[in-house]
Amino acid sequence: MADSSGVPRRRFLGAAAAAGAGAAGLGALAGCGTPASAGDRASGRPSPVRATTARRSEQSLPGDADWRLVSAGPQEAVQGWTDQVSVERGERFALHVSTTAPGFTVSAYRVGWYGGAQARLVWRSGRIPGRVQPAAGFTDATRTVTTAWEPTLGVATDDWPTGAYLLRLDAENGHQRYVPMIVRDAAAKGRTLLVHGPATWQAYNVWGGYSLYQGEDGAYGTRSLSVSFDRPYDGNGAEKFLVYERALVVLAERLGIPLAYTTGIDVHRQPAVLEGATALLSLGHDEYWTPQQRAAVTRARDAGTNLAFLGANTCFRRIRVEDGSRSVVCYKTDYRDDPLYGRDDPAVTTDFRAEPAPDPESSLTGVLYEGYPVDAPYVVLAADHWLYAGTGVAAGDSFPHLVGVEYDRVTPGGPVPRPIEILAHSPLVCEGRASHSDTAYYTAPGGAGVFASGTMRWVEGLMAGGRDDGGDHGMDARTCAFVTRATENLLTAFAQGPAGHRLPPPRDNISAVYGD
């Protein structure tokens, strides 16, 4: 993707979130079925690994299905941000809120299965007086929008289980908005670690007129070079989480596997959280990584932690976090203006594959980001692979619209771990050029299994055919059932420890697929 196309790309990626934010049901997880295996040639489905008693007890609690927004209203109606992207259980965070209403309340919903309700109300504030906070400030050198809003209230998390939370602001003017918060685990030993992507959320956040893709005039050339967490998210307040992450959280919690939660920024700051994790899940859109985060994940893979990349365009941008991890810096094509250029080139913020210190992401993910925009069928290749057990698929079966809006593929000649098996090979045309999207699987010498979906719509596929997908991609309930069963197989297998020690090895088929 050329950087000059950043503005339409950002708008396209946000469309599903805006459409689906207030939907009333998650068809993929609450309604779509899993087809029976008919003549399935894949090996048996992995046995489930059960969560701790505390996690099972949490999921047995009744949920609260009223967690969705009814009316977001205009941006200024009610909006807020937290002074931290995540906290450990028991820590406090400050919530900064601006509203045109005389008062509001805050409700903290933990995302999970909860018998199909998909969230549970963990805490609710009393009435809080409202006020309109001052206008945003602007830093000319990096075209950065920040606010200096006073903290509205402090929130304690002593009784909050770790997990992904939506803080819902309910204003007396009838409007609502979300503020996301992750209550993270300090360690993930023996558990599957869900890594949320606030750096990517912030990169696309156009609140105040600026993001890492565009300036106030909509042009790429006037974009921010650094974006701040000291401002609300645009739209409903949690669009990227809702579209690319929430459905996977719900599924993982429903499976009952041992789980832990963190963010990419916290992996950067506290890489020890990865020690002994059975698996690490990178969710549907996880584009912006620091070099330190990437190095930590690579070490975890080499130590036997399974990796699942459930989107596309993962680990594409090399970033830096500054200001106490409150700013995300990425100069992109203006990397020569990065203050570290010529002084510490491996830390210069641009694409990982680009000069001045190219290090393509495929050495970790197995696949290379190739293009945007695309909309194409997902085409199964290795139907007998354990990933597809119980789906009933045969080679050549396809699922319309599952490949999009960005895609990855295995790139012969690139830094690709071997052996690697291409599980799905989906023909497409992107901006007039024919290519393929690849789902791929490889194992590392330490035994870790590494899966890459090759499409940004994998997590969205868990909502296919239901109202929560926004209805803009045209994916159906059959696609939902396929993606759900395959993801269940993946998470259940990876939760049992190094996949390379227990499951059939990848059958390297690059030459068969792409030729010598």
Side-chain angles (χ1 to χ4, degrees):
M1 179 199 70
D3 275 295
S4 60
S5 67
V7 176
R9 173 176 183 260
R10 194 253 169 220
R11 291 173 182 161
F12 193 102
L13 293 177
L26 181 58
L29 300 179
C32 78
T34 300
S37 174
D40 181 36
R41 293 166 289 131
S43 58
R45 191 180 183 190
S47 300
V49 174
R50 292 303 175 194
T52 62
T53 300
R55 184 72 71 187
R56 292 198 302 269
S57 177
E58 171 65 26
Q59 280 303 309
S60 69
L61 294 172
D64 297 273
D66 65 346
W67 58 269
R68 291 172 176 83
L69 301 187
V70 176
S71 172
Q75 191 76 47
E76 67 274 10
V78 62
Q79 53 190 333
W81 51 271
T82 57
D83 67 341
Q84 300 173 71
V85 298
S86 72
V87 292
E88 288 187 15
R89 181 176 182 173
E91 293 181 340
R92 296 176 65 88
F93 63 87
L95 184 59
H96 304 244
V97 177
S98 179
T99 178
T100 57
F104 67 98
T105 60
V106 185
S107 299
Y109 291 93
R110 183 183 182 278
V111 176
W113 173 239
Y114 299 110
Q118 300 166 37
R120 180 175 76 86
L121 178 65
V122 172
W123 171 82
R124 178 168 285 159
S125 74
R127 182 185 185 274
I128 303 165
R131 60 172 291 199
V132 175
Q133 299 260 24
F138 189 74
T139 302
D140 290 334
T142 54
R143 298 185 289 275
T144 303
V145 175
T146 56
T147 71
W149 292 355
E150 293 293 325
T152 307
L153 74 159
V155 181
T157 63
D158 299 55
D159 299 323
W160 296 24
T162 58
Y165 284 79
L166 290 168
L167 308 178
R168 194 182 70 196
L169 310 178
D170 294 286
E172 291 173 356
N173 55 20
H175 300 306
Q176 304 163 305
R177 192 154 274 106
Y178 291 126
V179 181
M181 169 56 65
I182 306 301
V183 179
R184 69 181 185 271
D185 288 271
K189 185 176 182 179
R191 291 182 283 173
T192 294
L193 181 63
L194 282 75
V195 182
H196 295 276
T200 299
W201 305 348
Q202 195 57 250
Y204 284 86
N205 180 19
V206 76
W207 190 93
Y210 288 80
S211 72
L212 290 181
Y213 289 85
Q214 68 176 80
E216 196 169 31
D217 60 357
Y220 171 78
T222 59
R223 73 195 183 283
S224 295
L225 303 176
S226 174
V227 287
S228 173
F229 285 103
D230 291 350
R231 59 175 182 157
Y233 290 107
D234 61 355
N236 62 37
E239 290 181 351
K240 294 294 179 286
F241 170 80
L242 288 167
V243 172
Y244 296 112
E245 302 186 8
R246 184 185 70 85
L248 193 282
V249 173
V250 173
L251 174 62
E253 293 252 341
R254 178 172 66 78
L255 289 176
I257 59 177
L259 297 176
Y261 289 84
T262 193
T263 75
I265 287 177
D266 290 296
V267 171
H268 163 88
R269 297 186 300 191
Q270 300 170 331
V273 68
L274 302 181
E275 293 177 4
T278 54
L280 180 151
L281 308 182
S282 167
L283 306 179
H285 192 185
D286 193 11
E287 180 178 349
Y288 287 77
W289 290 38
T290 68
Q292 294 87 344
Q293 178 187 354
R294 178 173 172 177
V297 173
T298 301
R299 289 194 300 271
R301 177 202 64 181
D302 295 346
T305 295
N306 300 309
L307 306 180
F309 300 104
L310 300 171
N313 191 220
T314 302
C315 192
F316 181 67
R317 308 283 191 186
R318 181 193 290 124
I319 62 170
R320 189 165 59 250
V321 290
E322 296 181 342
D323 305 320
S325 300
R326 297 300 293 171
S327 297
V328 176
V329 179
C330 193
Y331 279 72
K332 298 186 179 180
T333 51
D334 291 327
Y335 63 86
R336 290 181 180 85
D337 295 330
D338 189 317
L340 296 185
Y341 180 69
R343 295 171 45 214
D344 186 3
D345 285 348
V348 169
T349 58
T350 183
D351 303 345
F352 269 105
R353 66 184 65 176
E355 296 291 347
D359 185 13
E361 70 274 13
S362 57
S363 64
L364 174 64
T365 63
V367 293
L368 198 70
Y369 170 64
E370 190 168 89
Y372 156 92
V374 70
D375 180 273
Y378 180 96
V379 181
V380 173
L381 179 63
D384 60 345
H385 193 271
W386 58 261
L387 178 76
Y388 300 134
T391 64
V393 296
D397 284 355
S398 65
F399 296 86
H401 310 293
L402 182 53
V403 174
V405 58
E406 299 187 270
Y407 72 96
D408 301 335
R409 76 176 181 96
V410 174
T411 306
V416 179
R418 305 290 288 269
I420 189 168
E421 184 171 5
I422 298 171
L423 310 181
H425 187 58
S426 307
L428 56 84
V429 176
C430 183
E431 295 188 322
R433 182 171 59 87
S435 188
H436 291 81
S437 164
D438 291 327
T439 295
Y441 174 74
Y442 77 88
T443 53
V450 181
F451 168 84
S453 72
T455 170
M456 194 175 282
R457 289 185 185 156
W458 188 267
V459 173
E460 288 185 271
L462 296 171
M463 301 181 284
R467 288 175 292 178
D468 272 343
D469 73 357
D472 60 333
H473 299 324
M475 293 186 289
D476 58 16
R478 172 176 169 268
T479 296
C480 165
F482 165 74
V483 177
T484 299
R485 182 59 183 266
T487 308
E488 290 172 348
N489 292 342
L490 177 70
L491 269 57
T492 302
F494 276 15
Q496 297 179 51
H501 293 164
R502 297 173 296 96
L503 294 169
R507 301 161 295 189
D508 195 299
N509 57 356
I510 289 183
S511 294
V513 172
Y514 282 106
D516 296 329

